[in-house]
Amino acid sequence: MPNITHLDRHADRIAADIVQVTGDELDAFRLPVLAAMLGVSEGFLKKANAAGTGPKPTYLTPRCLIYRRDDVLKYLDERAGRWFKSAE
């Protein structure tokens, strides 16, 4: 199991904030925006992508990636589950 991070403890709240703030208007996020919303650094997301432990990126071009809202919410749901399992 990957290390538990502050993101795991707050994943449910972050997901609710993303849904409330974006509504149906914003379906994808660029790296700097997502990092700010998650409260992590861009470097954290880049390392998570390289390790396959972050939200699933979608590449528009070989150098341009976005994160789809549904993929981010799925990732946060999985992270919240890790936190609850480790806290038991």
Side-chain angles (χ1 to χ4, degrees):
M1 178 182 296
N3 293 334
I4 302 299
T5 66
H6 88 280
L7 183 60
D8 301 325
R9 294 182 198 124
H10 303 289
D12 285 336
R13 180 189 53 78
I14 295 168
D17 289 348
I18 288 173
V19 170
Q20 181 180 14
V21 170
T22 62
D24 291 329
E25 298 173 15
L26 191 57
D27 290 331
F29 309 102
R30 297 289 310 268
L31 180 71
V33 173
L34 182 60
M37 292 180 89
L38 297 180
V40 299
S41 68
E42 291 180 37
F44 176 89
L45 284 176
K46 288 177 183 178
K47 288 178 185 175
N49 285 344
T53 59
K56 178 184 166 194
T58 299
Y59 287 87
L60 301 177
T61 68
R63 295 181 56 174
C64 180
L65 63 91
I66 59 169
Y67 296 88
R68 297 194 185 280
R69 187 175 89 148
D70 291 341
D71 292 334
V72 173
L73 294 175
K74 180 180 175 186
Y75 166 76
L76 289 170
D77 186 50
E78 292 169 357
R79 298 303 297 197
R82 284 193 186 124
W83 167 248
F84 290 122
K85 287 178 187 172
S86 70
E88 291 176 345

